[in-house]
Amino acid sequence: HAVKSIELFNDLGVTDGHYAAALSALGSYYYIKGEFASGMKVYETAMEAMEQALGKNAYYKRLEENYLACKKALQEEMAAKGESFEKVAGANAGSSSEVSNGYNDDTHGLDICHEYFEKVGYPVFKERFADYLPELAFGLAGEGSDCYGFDDKVSRDHDWGPEFCIFVTDETYEKIGAELEKTYAELPAEFDGYKRAQTVQGSGRRGVIRISDFCRKFLGVNASELKIAEKCCGIREEIDFRSISDASLSAFVNGEIWVDNKGMITGLRREVAKGYPENVLYAKLAQACAEFSQAGQYNIIRCIERGDAVTAEIMKGDAMRAACKLAYLIENRFAPHDKWLFKGLDGLLGGTAVKEGLKTLMLCKTPEEIVKILEKLGESLAMELYVCDYISDVDPYLDHQTEELMKKSFFSTQTNEELTMMIAKAEFAAFDKVQNEGGRASCQNDWPTFGIMRRSQYLTWNRTMLLQYLYDFERETELGHNLITEKYGRMMESTAPERYEEIKDNFPALTDEQKAIIEEICRIQVSWMEEFSEKYPHLAGQARTVHTYDDKNYDTSYETYLRGEISTYSDKMLQLYTKFIVELAQDGKNLAKMTMENSCKLYGYKGLDEAEAFLAK
């Protein structure tokens, strides 16, 4: 599969971060198989692709580490055989990207600090605090460009040099805190030519740090001993993600933890690194879209037309900041301090397009150029939002996305069960308004049955599908479009073809591609229903007939009903549903069985077998 994916990338001429990830998968395969020379070649190609696409970011470093692991394994293998590594590896034994021994002017503080810890710090603490070692965690995290790997020559004027953090609980600090601080202060003041630098500005950033103080400073919460001991224990529920700054959250999860035997700080950081809660994420996406659009797609041009160049530059800066923030939010990552927003784009898979767009924007001279670039940047960001399933349509004027994002922010405060109920109730209200040519159907007055049938279906869906369909349904209802009426109207193509010809122009036209997708979905789901009917004939007998060829004027089959329903889906919803069906098929699951099992449980049975046995009596 790795080889096939790489072939697809090559056929398309794509050499981005995703291509590098595919190569990395193949490299891992070669390493596990013991084909280390092949692994080196693949990882070297992956490094080149990653550097070209995103620069030497954290992903690049990981690839480099894997490359070096292959090289080391090959060297050991050749040495055991008494063979020459150079002879076997040839020109592929080295890499232009390989880290040389020693440091240079481009060396990052995180690497220096790690080596200082391993060679100087850890041996001392391991010897003096052997009994307490499991209670200590070591790493480099928090404030400072070196924690991000963003430091350079300019960064070395303050708070830079061989240092590290020792994270402890309050309990441990009370017992040995003073001794830990004394030992840390006595460590060598210089390492490989670099001097330790503790200034007033950096006070509390390095050395012995209480985990509770670290959480209070960056998260605004008090991490009790219980939470630390349990590694997370509800820490996310206590964080006010709406008010804590992106930079503080970013500082909490950045850097590296090298030793943490009990997983104390590691567990807390892992929980926070999951990103924003869903409802907050949607709200922040909406805010960033609005800020980009207001500053960059509206106000900046008006300022230029007024001859207000200063305000126009301010608006340009606000738009650039919003674009950067949006790039982080799309991947549910915490944006660093403003001074590192642009630099940090290198670590985002979608950051390259934003970075190039902002660079071009800086060079624009005329209003026409500015409008063109902002439009292109807006379209790029909208496409990323669409591809990541946040929005329904690619509209480059990002302010148009805010309504959908804010609605989904509200919806996402609900559980999946609550969302299914909201959908079922919205559908029933629309169903009540359907004008049936044969008169009002009895099922239009039967909420209990309707509610169970619809919820049974939606309980199988993933959260993204639920949010999208609820948004689509409410949007269409507000526009005066009854999707339930459309669904039953589309069924008439099979049940009442002559009448359908009269009304079909009232429905949105389907493309040939959409029709082909819908028919393939129907084929798969009909096969699932056939399989279910064979195993559970009595339960299947309570449902619709299976095939379209069994349709009668007032007796619609499962296949026809399904075709009519998914024909009403929006482009995005059809895309999500198609992916859902494909994944179920790949996993060997049967959606008909899953849906019927939900129905049985909602009716009070323990499962399908109990319901089948009851009906068989």
Side-chain angles (χ1 to χ4, degrees):
H1 289 301
V3 170
K4 180 63 177 176
S5 67
I6 292 165
E7 289 175 353
L8 290 170
F9 280 119
N10 288 331
D11 290 343
L12 293 168
V14 174
T15 56
D16 61 2
H18 299 290
Y19 172 66
L23 288 165
S24 178
L26 183 60
S28 296
Y29 168 81
Y30 283 135
Y31 181 84
I32 292 169
K33 294 286 287 185
E35 299 175 20
F36 304 122
S38 296
M40 286 173 62
K41 293 178 182 178
V42 171
Y43 278 122
E44 191 168 27
T45 305
M47 288 158 63
E48 292 171 357
M50 184 62 73
E51 183 177 5
Q52 183 178 2
L54 299 173
K56 293 186 177 181
N57 59 7
Y59 299 111
Y60 177 91
K61 185 176 180 181
R62 200 172 304 153
L63 291 169
E64 187 173 57
E65 290 172 352
N66 291 338
Y67 167 84
L68 293 174
C70 285
K71 179 179 179 180
K72 181 180 179 182
L74 183 60
Q75 287 174 323
E76 292 174 350
E77 184 179 76
M78 294 302 100
K81 295 179 180 179
E83 299 177 5
S84 168
F85 169 76
E86 286 73 17
K87 181 178 179 180
V88 174
N92 294 306
S95 168
S96 59
S97 307
E98 186 177 337
V99 178
S100 60
N101 294 326
Y103 299 116
N104 54 53
D105 286 340
D106 295 324
T107 300
H108 291 299
L110 189 60
D111 297 322
I112 296 171
C113 291
H114 191 188
E115 190 158 355
Y116 178 68
F117 164 74
E118 286 191 329
K119 293 183 177 179
V120 178
Y122 193 55
V124 173
F125 283 93
K126 188 175 182 180
E127 178 183 352
R128 296 188 187 180
F129 301 94
D131 294 338
Y132 288 97
L133 205 60
E135 299 178 31
L136 308 179
F138 302 89
L140 189 71
E143 295 168 304
S145 57
D146 48 353
C147 294
Y148 290 95
F150 293 164
D151 52 304
D152 50 26
K153 295 177 184 178
V154 179
S155 306
R156 301 180 184 185
D157 61 339
H158 71 89
D159 300 333
W160 193 92
E163 301 280 353
F164 56 89
C165 305
I166 308 165
F167 295 99
V168 298
T169 64
D170 290 348
E171 182 182 2
T172 301
Y173 185 85
E174 291 302 320
K175 289 186 289 187
I176 59 171
E179 295 177 62
L180 288 170
E181 289 175 344
K182 182 175 181 295
T183 301
Y184 183 78
E186 292 173 349
L187 293 176
E190 187 172 319
F191 176 71
D192 275 10
Y194 295 103
K195 293 182 179 180
R196 292 174 63 184
Q198 278 285 21
T199 67
V200 175
Q201 185 174 346
S203 178
R205 292 186 175 186
R206 305 292 181 261
V208 182
I209 300 175
R210 296 178 189 233
I211 297 175
S212 59
D213 288 340
F214 197 68
C215 290
R216 191 177 299 110
K217 179 178 183 179
F218 294 112
L219 306 179
V221 301
N222 179 31
S224 66
E225 293 293 323
L226 175 62
K227 287 183 174 57
I228 296 169
E230 295 297 327
K231 303 179 186 177
C232 61
C233 194
I235 190 72
R236 288 180 60 81
E237 285 70 28
E238 294 190 19
I239 302 171
D240 185 356
F241 282 98
R242 289 183 181 272
S243 63
I244 299 297
S245 72
D246 300 334
S248 289
L249 293 164
S250 178
F252 186 83
V253 301
N254 76 2
E256 298 176 353
I257 301 299
W258 305 315
V259 176
D260 187 4
N261 294 322
K262 287 190 175 180
M264 301 180 298
I265 187 69
T266 304
L268 293 169
R269 280 161 49 91
R270 185 182 298 117
E271 282 298 301
V272 176
K274 290 178 180 178
Y276 289 105
E278 192 175 38
N279 64 313
V280 177
L281 177 60
Y282 274 111
K284 281 185 168 287
L285 285 166
Q287 180 182 359
C289 283
E291 289 175 350
F292 175 83
S293 192
Q294 285 294 306
Q297 297 178 302
Y298 181 76
N299 283 328
I300 190 171
I301 301 305
R302 295 168 70 85
C303 291
I304 292 173
E305 290 174 348
R306 292 188 177 111
D308 188 351
V310 173
T311 306
E313 286 302 309
I314 293 173
M315 290 298 104
K316 185 191 290 186
D318 287 346
M320 295 172 79
R321 181 187 296 107
C324 290
K325 293 254 186 178
L326 194 49
Y328 287 93
L329 288 167
I330 287 172
E331 297 187 22
N332 202 2
R333 299 268 292 276
F334 304 128
H337 189 280
D338 280 2
K339 66 181 178 180
W340 298 119
L341 276 177
F342 186 74
K343 174 69 175 177
L345 293 175
D346 289 337
L348 304 176
L349 290 177
T352 303
V354 175
K355 196 167 186 178
E356 293 306 311
L358 296 180
K359 285 181 179 179
T360 305
L361 185 60
M362 289 292 294
L363 302 175
C364 290
K365 301 297 182 183
T366 67
E368 291 76 17
E369 288 178 322
I370 292 173
V371 170
K372 182 178 179 180
I373 295 303
L374 286 170
E375 184 79 6
K376 186 176 180 181
L377 185 55
E379 185 175 12
S380 175
L381 289 166
M383 180 58 74
E384 283 295 312
L385 286 164
Y386 181 82
V387 169
C388 293
D389 300 330
Y390 292 116
I391 60 175
S392 305
D393 305 293
V394 181
D395 187 333
Y397 193 77
L398 296 190
D399 198 38
H400 292 166
Q401 314 294 353
T402 57
E403 181 182 0
E404 177 174 359
L405 291 167
M406 285 307 298
K407 280 196 172 185
K408 287 182 177 177
S409 174
F410 168 71
F411 293 152
S412 62
T413 61
Q414 312 296 308
T415 65
N416 281 13
E417 289 73 15
E418 290 169 336
L419 288 172
T420 61
M421 182 61 79
M422 289 175 68
I423 293 172
K425 286 183 176 180
E427 286 186 327
F428 193 65
F431 188 35
D432 181 64
K433 296 180 175 63
V434 173
Q435 301 297 314
N436 186 15
E437 293 192 347
R440 187 174 178 83
S442 60
C443 54
Q444 286 180 283
N445 302 317
D446 186 3
W447 159 250
T449 301
F450 183 94
I452 287 176
M453 293 298 100
R454 301 310 288 168
R455 288 166 59 208
S456 298
Q457 173 180 323
Y458 296 130
L459 284 169
T460 65
W461 285 14
N462 61 52
R463 192 163 179 81
T464 302
M465 295 166 67
L466 294 172
L467 292 173
Q468 185 62 49
Y469 186 66
L470 181 55
Y471 169 74
D472 286 345
F473 201 89
E474 286 203 357
R475 176 189 60 185
E476 294 303 308
T477 300
E478 289 170 4
L479 292 172
H481 179 198
N482 190 323
L483 288 175
I484 304 299
T485 296
E486 180 185 337
K487 172 172 67 175
Y488 282 101
R490 287 187 180 278
M491 293 182 204
M492 293 171 69
E493 184 175 9
S494 172
T495 61
E498 292 182 2
R499 178 64 177 132
Y500 176 76
E501 287 299 316
E502 298 175 10
I503 65 173
K504 66 180 182 180
D505 291 339
N506 295 317
F507 311 137
L510 298 174
T511 66
D512 290 340
E513 182 182 11
Q514 287 173 319
K515 290 178 182 178
I517 291 171
I518 290 168
E519 289 308 310
E520 181 62 15
I521 290 173
C522 288
R523 184 191 67 78
I524 294 171
Q525 288 198 233
V526 165
S527 70
W528 284 336
M529 182 54 78
E530 290 171 340
E531 179 184 308
F532 176 82
S533 298
E534 289 182 11
K535 187 169 183 179
Y536 299 97
H538 294 91
L539 277 170
Q542 302 294 307
R544 298 173 181 273
T545 56
V546 177
H547 304 95
T548 293
Y549 55 68
D550 290 324
D551 282 343
K552 296 180 176 61
N553 198 18
Y554 295 104
D555 187 6
T556 307
S557 66
Y558 169 83
E559 180 183 359
T560 297
Y561 188 94
L562 173 66
R563 183 181 292 109
E565 181 157 285
I566 58 181
S567 294
T568 68
Y569 289 171
S570 67
D571 288 346
K572 172 53 71 174
M573 189 62 224
L574 182 59
Q575 182 186 104
L576 293 174
Y577 192 77
T578 302
K579 181 181 178 183
F580 171 66
I581 294 299
V582 169
E583 289 176 349
L584 289 178
Q586 290 175 336
D587 292 340
K589 295 180 179 179
N590 184 322
L591 183 58
K593 181 179 179 181
M594 293 163 62
T595 303
M596 293 295 287
E597 188 165 27
N598 286 336
S599 296
C600 291
K601 289 180 179 179
L602 289 173
Y603 273 116
Y605 296 102
K606 292 180 181 179
L608 291 169
D609 292 333
E610 182 179 275
E612 178 72 10
F614 177 81
L615 292 172
K617 293 179 181 178

